[in-house]
Amino acid sequence: MSEDRIPHLFRPLTQRGLTFKNRACVSPMCQYQAVDGRMTDWHYDHHVRFAMGGVAIGMVEATGVSADGRITHGCTGLWTDEQIAPMARVTAAYERYGAVPAIQLGHAGRKASTERPWDGAQPLTAAAGAWPTIAPSAIPVRDGWHTPKAMNEADIERVKSDFRAAAGRALAAGFQVVEIHGAHGYLLHSFLSPLSNRRNDGYGGDLEGRMRFPLEVASIVREAWPAHLPVWYRVSAQDGVEGGLELSEVIELCRRLKAIGIDLVDCSSGGISGSPSLATVHPGPGFQVPFAEAIRREAEIATMAVGFITDAHQAEAILAEGKADMIAIAREHLADPAWTYHAALTLGAENPHALLPHLYHWYLERRAALTKG
Ligand SMILES: Cc1cc2nc3c(=O)[nH]c(=O)nc-3n(C[C@H](O)[C@H](O)[C@H](O)COP(=O)(O)O)c2cc1C
């Protein structure tokens, strides 16, 4: 197939020394099934479904760089070496089926210490094992939530070194892409948003001050990650709340991220006031794509679009129109772990069966030949 007839979704992308075989990525999805931060068999089963379905990149859920950085007791972590081995099983499965394993590293900040979503997602009580939370300022997410401790310089240094150590463990576990979680109201986003950052030292105030901590974390992770492998960053492109973070400010952040060597911005939105990200509540198909487009154009950095992208033609149009470089799909992957394979059939990509495990090719190719005949 000549280059210009290959669907955009199936054109490889090379970043640094790594080539993604297509443009589809499993978006990070917390499973709340970890024990003391360690992945369980559920995580393995969950990811193997995707690994076998033709996706280029499988991204593991928001993983706490410290125990207090988890959202719930069931979240994964990388703050001790014992957490590496169960993750290495998952990365090996992705590699076995020709996909790139990625991981999102984060700190939940003032949104830590909460119940699992199906238990209500409310702050944990002391009896349920609540732990102290930290944030740029001592402002709770809303009334009745934990009042976080305003971080002092020692806390800031501790979180930076936790990110460095967790990145080292992620590498030891076999991940090839690391994404910094800078979205959804968690710690890095809460430094950036004027609603949650009221500091009057060098880490607050104007945009320069509010960007400082997220940029320092990004630099540290970039330094800790091998030069031949990409580092990505997920933003909330706007707060979508009165007085909150604006897209223009996030574009400036992305320019600075590019300057320190971040390779792609994953464009989500919302989450500062305790709600889930806008991506999980807003019903409009592809409604966050304009953020990916604006950041790509204005900050001249590769972007990933996410949020209510479910259809192969929709994904193809986003890429063909130059609005993003990658497509992340979360919930549709739960319903259809072979989403990429089905997209290849829909878009008429060459040799679609090659996206599935090789032991299946012969049968599927033969069936296709019989149908044609
Ligand atoms: C069960 C579930 C868990 C999620 N966990 C994370 C997470 O760990 N990190 C993150 O940045 N976003 C998380 N999200 C948001 C998704 O990555 C994605 O941005 C959002 O679901 C919109 O994409 P979709 O319409 O394809 O589902 C989660 C979403 C769901 C449904």
Side-chain angles (χ1 to χ4, degrees):
M1 195 178 268
S2 70
E3 172 71 17
D4 57 350
R5 293 196 47 216
I6 299 174
H8 291 75
L9 190 56
F10 293 95
R11 295 184 188 180
L13 176 70
T14 298
Q15 287 199 319
R16 296 179 181 258
L18 197 59
T19 298
F20 310 125
K21 65 185 173 188
N22 57 57
R23 305 302 180 98
C25 175
V26 178
S27 201
M29 279 180 280
C30 293
Q31 297 299 296
Y32 312 103
Q33 300 302 313
V35 175
D36 294 329
R38 288 189 310 276
M39 281 188 161
T40 58
D41 284 349
W42 170 255
H43 294 93
Y44 181 78
D45 296 347
H46 169 73
H47 284 286
V48 164
R49 292 174 81 227
F50 309 137
M52 289 185 166
V55 75
I57 305 173
M59 194 179 299
V60 160
E61 66 198 71
T63 293
V65 298
S66 55
D68 72 328
R70 285 176 296 172
I71 307 166
T72 73
H73 280 295
C75 290
T76 51
L78 269 178
W79 67 87
T80 70
D81 289 351
E82 290 70 52
Q83 291 154 341
I84 296 173
M87 286 199 174
R89 285 180 76 211
V90 168
T91 61
Y94 275 115
E95 300 255 13
R96 214 159 36 241
Y97 296 107
V100 169
I103 185 167
Q104 190 185 53
L105 294 181
H107 190 297
R110 64 181 193 161
K111 290 177 84 174
S113 185
T114 62
E115 299 165 331
R116 293 168 176 86
W118 50 84
D119 293 328
Q122 292 304 302
L124 288 172
T125 59
W131 63 85
T133 58
I134 54 170
S137 305
I139 305 170
V141 171
R142 10 173 222 269
D143 288 348
W145 277 59
H146 303 305
T147 299
K149 177 194 171 203
M151 290 164 70
N152 59 27
E153 292 266 348
D155 297 319
I156 286 176
E157 291 309 312
R158 183 200 34 109
V159 174
K160 288 196 295 194
S161 77
D162 287 342
F163 266 94
R164 184 187 294 112
R169 292 192 185 99
L171 192 66
F175 290 102
Q176 293 188 288
V177 175
V178 65
E179 176 173 280
I180 300 163
H181 198 344
H184 303 169
Y186 300 118
L187 188 63
L188 301 191
H189 178 188
S190 70
F191 266 84
L192 198 59
S193 173
L195 294 174
S196 40
N197 184 343
R198 301 277 164 76
R199 298 176 75 94
N200 46 26
D201 64 0
Y203 287 99
D206 61 6
L207 179 62
E208 197 63 33
R210 285 181 281 118
M211 285 194 299
R212 182 170 162 200
F213 181 63
L215 288 172
E216 285 180 355
V217 169
S219 294
I220 274 173
V221 174
R222 183 59 276 177
E223 278 164 29
W225 205 242
H228 68 281
L229 296 175
V231 177
W232 293 2
Y233 192 104
R234 177 168 266 201
V235 292
S236 275
Q238 62 172 37
D239 282 342
V241 184
E242 175 101 36
L245 187 66
E246 305 277 354
L247 176 61
S248 58
E249 296 177 293
V250 176
I251 288 171
E252 184 53 29
L253 173 79
C254 294
R255 290 194 185 106
R256 305 286 287 271
L257 289 171
K258 183 185 176 185
I260 58 175
I262 299 303
D263 300 287
L264 176 142
V265 175
D266 178 3
C267 301
S268 189
S269 61
I272 199 68
S273 313
S275 57
S277 73
L278 296 183
T280 53
V281 295
H282 195 290
F287 76 105
Q288 293 179 133
V289 173
F291 301 136
E293 182 184 12
I295 290 171
R296 188 173 191 266
R297 188 183 58 241
E298 303 293 327
E300 297 179 356
I301 187 166
T303 60
M304 182 153 77
V306 64
F308 279 92
I309 303 169
T310 53
D311 173 78
H313 292 292
Q314 181 193 11
E316 177 65 9
I318 293 165
L319 296 167
E321 291 163 14
K323 295 177 176 168
D325 301 87
M326 292 290 302
I327 303 290
I329 291 161
R331 287 163 295 183
E332 196 60 19
H333 265 127
L334 303 178
D336 180 6
W339 184 89
T340 311
Y341 168 64
H342 291 129
L345 294 174
T346 304
L347 298 175
E350 198 171 32
N351 204 8
H353 309 307
L355 288 165
L356 294 181
H358 73 276
L359 286 171
Y360 300 164
H361 297 178
W362 187 81
Y363 304 102
L364 292 166
E365 276 159 15
R366 216 171 138 71
R367 184 183 68 172
L370 286 171
T371 325
K372 260 190 215 142

